[in-house]
Amino acid sequence: MRPLSLLLAGSLSAWTLLCVASPAAATGNLLTNGDFETGLLAPWAGVGGLGALSTIIVQTPDNGPSAPGTHHAFLDNRAEANGLTMAQTTGLGTAVPGPVFYSFDLKVGTAANGGVFFVEIFAQNAGGAVIGNAGLLGNYSPANWTTFTGSFVAPANTDHLTIQFEAPTGAVTGSISSMKVDNVLLYQGTLTGTKGTSWNRLKNLYR
Ligand SMILES: [Ca+2]
């Protein structure tokens, strides 16, 4: 009979090999503060087009339908030919190759004179280079809160993800793109630890 310590060592080695051979997809929402219920924008950030006439703030009391709450993000772009963009990048090592599921709630504020709204999701390698994407999602202009869902396949060497919300305006006076954003969800594998009945229903759709 082998000593217990050897058995444990053998099991540990097998487990280590298994982990190396097949990295497990993370569970739960890969994003932080996807529902904006902290009342603050961080770790979301404006990554383009911020200015006196183009702002991103967290507002209350309106809330998207996918999860309970009282806050949402509001992108308000009233500058001509301007690419106001809000983004969040997940941490290093948070994603793996394979299906990536997304969900977000949108409600238009104003879309006028060439103002439009798009969402992009990027798969990045460990060095941060973009190696895959979900395509250009939109133009979105829902008059009432609407939940948009879908998926794409992250390619080999995917290490983490970025999702960005884009409210570009046209090159004409009076072009406006404003949008309320809430309940942003990115996940792989099994969705756990996410509050909200709608998100749980969404999870069941992908089982
Ligand atoms: Ca919210």
Side-chain angles (χ1 to χ4, degrees):
M1 184 176 172
R2 297 167 70 191
L4 182 60
S5 58
L6 274 180
L7 281 173
L8 281 174
S11 300
L12 194 60
S13 298
W15 173 242
T16 303
L17 283 172
L18 188 66
C19 290
V20 168
S22 57
T27 58
N29 193 355
L30 299 175
L31 300 167
T32 301
N33 195 27
D35 57 8
F36 303 97
E37 293 305 311
T38 64
L40 303 171
L41 194 60
W44 295 97
V47 296
L50 287 172
L53 296 177
S54 52
T55 56
I56 304 171
I57 60 172
V58 174
Q59 288 192 144
T60 188
D62 206 359
N63 192 73
S66 292
T70 53
H71 294 72
H72 63 277
F74 183 55
L75 287 76
D76 189 20
N77 187 6
R78 292 164 188 272
E80 286 176 37
N82 184 49
L84 182 63
T85 303
M86 176 181 79
Q88 184 178 148
T89 298
T90 67
L92 289 174
T94 53
V96 296
V100 176
F101 302 101
Y102 59 82
S103 178
F104 45 82
D105 297 342
L106 300 178
K107 180 183 177 183
V108 80
T110 302
N113 300 318
V116 288
F117 197 88
F118 297 102
V119 180
E120 291 192 89
I121 306 167
F122 303 112
Q124 290 160 276
N125 65 19
V130 172
I131 56 174
N133 65 76
L136 185 64
L137 307 173
N139 176 34
Y140 294 113
S141 57
N144 297 301
W145 278 116
T146 304
T147 303
F148 299 93
T149 65
S151 67
F152 72 104
V153 177
N157 300 316
T158 292
D159 177 81
H160 58 280
L161 306 166
T162 292
I163 182 167
Q164 62 183 38
F165 294 86
E166 306 162 358
T169 49
V172 293
T173 303
S175 184
I176 300 172
S177 175
S178 67
M179 185 73 76
K180 295 179 176 181
V181 179
D182 204 0
N183 301 319
V184 187
L185 177 60
L186 275 185
Y187 75 98
Q188 297 188 281
T190 306
L191 183 61
T192 60
T194 303
K195 60 188 176 184
T197 52
S198 294
W199 285 6
N200 287 330
R201 283 200 297 273
L202 176 72
K203 171 185 65 180
N204 292 333
L205 287 178
Y206 290 119
R207 274 189 176 150

